[in-house]
Amino acid sequence: DGSGVQAFRSRLNEGTPKMRLPKGASYRFIWSEEGRALLSTKNTSLDTVLDELATQFFTGYIRITVERADVLEDGYLLLSFGKLVGAEYVGRETLVGALGLDASRRAWEGEGIVDLYEFNETQLRFALEENSAALLVSMDEITEGIEAGRAGKQEFDQRVEAEEEATREAKRRVEE
């Protein structure tokens, strides 16, 4: 229930530094094996989520929130066209970059909630500029990835649209 999630998150220390990220559009995908939305760390592994988002050329961030030993932990993983490019962890301490990624992976092992937020390229560029300390790769590598990712994302979107059209057409034929 959304209000429980908000109450859980409202207990986070308001003064704790965290990644400066635009909100982005809420993004959900279905893990086909289970047939349910990924909203919990119990549903699947972080690597499975990252692999799936890579195939979708996802741009945005994953937010992981867990409570362990009376400490709320928040992990933020920034992705650019399916590639993991930045990380931050906020718990008893704030860790960025590779240390933030390691701590966020450990946080995933607890029972928690997962949110996905999709960015457009303007939002991505803002997030990269505002969180340079949290980056896992150089800006040059990210820029090259953006160029390659645009084509991959366009191809992915066209494939999804074709599959959706084929499904609509099959349903029309069944209804006739």
Side-chain angles (χ1 to χ4, degrees), residues 57 59 81 121 125 143-157:
F57 297 89
T59 297
F81 290 94
E121 280 193 46
R125 290 189 189 284
T143 301
E144 289 172 18
I146 289 172
E147 298 301 321
R150 280 187 193 126
K153 175 70 172 158
Q154 185 175 14
E155 184 181 309
F156 173 78
D157 289 345

Side-chain angles (χ1 to χ4, degrees), residues 76-93:
Y76 298 88
L77 304 177
L78 182 61
L79 289 93
S80 173
F81 290 94
K83 304 261 189 269
L84 183 59
V85 296
E88 181 177 90
Y89 163 86
V90 179
R92 290 196 193 281
E93 59 187 333

Side-chain angles (χ1 to χ4, degrees), residues 103-163:
S104 294
R105 283 187 175 283
R106 285 191 303 277
W108 190 284
E109 295 167 6
E111 187 172 325
I113 52 177
V114 178
D115 294 302
L116 301 167
Y117 296 98
E118 189 170 30
F119 288 162
N120 60 37
E121 280 193 46
T122 301
Q123 292 169 315
L124 171 64
R125 290 189 189 284
F126 171 84
L128 293 170
E129 289 169 11
E130 291 294 317
N131 300 288
S132 59
L135 297 182
L136 299 164
V137 295
S138 73
M139 280 301 294
D140 287 342
E141 289 176 80
I142 294 170
T143 301
E144 289 172 18
I146 289 172
E147 298 301 321
R150 280 187 193 126
K153 175 70 172 158
Q154 185 175 14
E155 184 181 309
F156 173 78
D157 289 345
Q158 289 170 348
R159 200 168 52 247
V160 167
E161 179 58 35
E163 290 170 4

Side-chain angles (χ1 to χ4, degrees), residues 31-42:
W31 189 35
S32 58
E33 214 174 285
E34 294 288 323
R36 63 178 181 239
L38 290 172
L39 298 174
S40 166
T41 57
K42 293 186 305 183

